[in-house]
Amino acid sequence: MSELNNEILAIKAIYGEDVLQSINQDDLHSLSIPSHPVALRLRFPPDYPASPPTIDGVESTGDTGFKGYGSHVMQVARATLGQVWHAGDVCLYDLIQELESMLEQQPSSHDRTDHNMQDQCSEAVDEEPSPRSNLTASTSDLSPSWVVSAPTIEKKSIFVARACTVSSPAEASAYVSSLLVTDKKIAKATHNITAYRIRSSPNGLLDKELVYQDCDDDGETAAGGRLLHLLQVMDVWNVLVIVSRWYGGVKLGPDRFRIISAVAREVLVEGGFDQTSKAPKSKKN
C-alpha cells in the first residue's frame, strides 16, 4: 500500500498530522475535515486505490446543534466519495477538498434557534448561510473555478498545481491574493509559484492586440520563469497557473523544476486550456 502511505504523507504535509489517524487497525482511519468539527471512519482495502475506500461511519460532528446532522454528513460523504474516486487513482485529497466545499454550504448551529430547530432540519440545504459563509461571501467574485492537480510527492516535498481562466493582469493578481487569503493551507505553502499569459483586443480591434505575461518565483529561484516558458511552449493564453510546494526538508536540486512543470502541464491538459479546447473544464476549490 505504498501509494496510500505516500498519499497520507502528502495529506498530513498539507493539512497537519491530525487530519488522518489510525484507529486500532491498520486499514481503519479517522479522517478529520479541516475547518469543520467532522471526523469520518474511513477504511482502506488492501488493493487501494484499485478499489475504493469505504466510509464506515461518523466519528464525531462536534456541537452541531441539530438532530440528524451525522446521518446527513454520512450521505454527503458517501456521495462525494463516489464522485471523486476513480480506479487506480488516489482520492483522499479530492475527497477532503470536495467535502470542505459541501459542508461549507451547510448551516451552522448559530443560524438555528431552539424554537424552529426541528422544522428546519429537513431543509438544511435551504438555510441562510453560516457566519463563516458570510465572511467569505464578499470575496466570491474573486474566487474563480480552479482546476486542481493531484498532489505529487518527491522526498516528502508536496507539489499541487491549479489553473483558471483570467482576462487581465489585475484580475490575475486579485485571484492570487484572494486564494492566499481564503485558503490557509495554500497560504502556508513554502512557495506559491505563479505565471500567466493574457492577450486581449481593446474595443474588439484585432490589429491592436495587447499581450501580457508575467511570473513570480515566490522564493523558488527561476521557477516562475520556467513555468511561464511552459505556457509559451504549450501556446496557452488567458490562463493563470499556480504551483504550490510544501518543502519536505530534503533538497531536490533540478528535479524540482521537472516536477513543477509536470504538475502544471497536468492541470493545463486536464482543464483543456490549450487552443483546441473552447471551454475549459473546472473543479471548484
Side-chain angles (χ1 to χ4, degrees), residues 35-245:
S35 304
H36 297 280
V38 173
L40 304 171
R41 290 194 298 274
L42 202 61
R43 188 180 301 275
F44 295 93
D47 61 344
Y48 174 82
S51 296
T54 57
I55 299 174
D56 285 4
V58 176
E59 188 76 11
S60 64
T61 58
D63 185 17
T64 59
F66 65 96
K67 184 179 179 180
Y69 185 65
S71 296
H72 171 72
V73 168
M74 275 286 292
Q75 292 176 357
V76 171
R78 285 174 172 167
T80 302
L81 178 60
Q83 293 173 356
V84 302
W85 176 78
H86 302 284
D89 294 332
V90 295
C91 65
L92 269 183
Y93 181 77
D94 287 340
L95 177 63
I96 294 172
Q97 288 273 293
E98 292 301 321
L99 278 178
E100 276 192 287
S101 177
M102 293 296 293
L103 294 177
E104 188 68 35
Q105 300 172 25
Q106 306 306 316
S108 73
S109 59
H110 301 291
D111 298 309
R112 295 170 177 266
T113 56
D114 292 337
H115 70 274
N116 64 3
M117 185 183 301
Q118 294 298 328
D119 290 340
Q120 293 180 340
C121 281
S122 62
E123 301 175 358
V125 176
D126 298 322
E127 290 280 347
E128 291 296 319
S130 67
R132 178 179 172 85
S133 297
N134 290 335
L135 289 175
T136 60
S138 61
T139 62
S140 61
D141 57 332
L142 298 179
S143 300
S145 291
W146 294 101
V147 182
V148 184
S149 74
T152 293
I153 310 164
E154 183 72 20
K155 296 179 181 178
K156 298 185 180 180
S157 277
I158 317 299
F159 298 81
V160 175
R162 66 194 66 233
C164 71
T165 301
V166 68
S167 60
S168 70
E171 188 174 59
S173 178
Y175 285 170
V176 173
S177 298
S178 177
L179 180 66
L180 295 177
V181 168
T182 59
D183 196 319
K184 292 181 180 179
K185 61 183 177 294
I186 300 300
K188 290 180 180 178
T190 312
H191 309 287
N192 284 298
I193 306 138
T194 62
Y196 64 76
R197 292 184 86 209
I198 300 166
R199 62 182 175 189
S200 61
S201 301
N203 302 318
L205 300 177
L206 298 180
D207 59 335
K208 292 186 178 181
E209 185 176 71
L210 299 179
V211 173
Y212 308 93
Q213 52 186 18
D214 202 359
C215 60
D216 184 0
D217 296 335
D218 193 29
E220 186 72 284
T221 305
R226 291 171 183 259
L227 190 58
L228 178 57
H229 179 65
L230 175 67
L231 300 184
Q232 294 167 341
V233 169
M234 296 184 69
D235 193 29
V236 295
W237 290 97
N238 300 328
V239 62
L240 165 68
V241 180
I242 303 176
V243 177
S244 302
R245 178 189 180 185

Side-chain angles (χ1 to χ4, degrees), residues 152 161 230 257-267:
T152 293
L230 175 67
F257 299 124
R258 173 184 58 81
I259 299 169
I260 289 168
S261 293
V263 294
R265 180 183 292 275
E266 174 190 333
V267 83

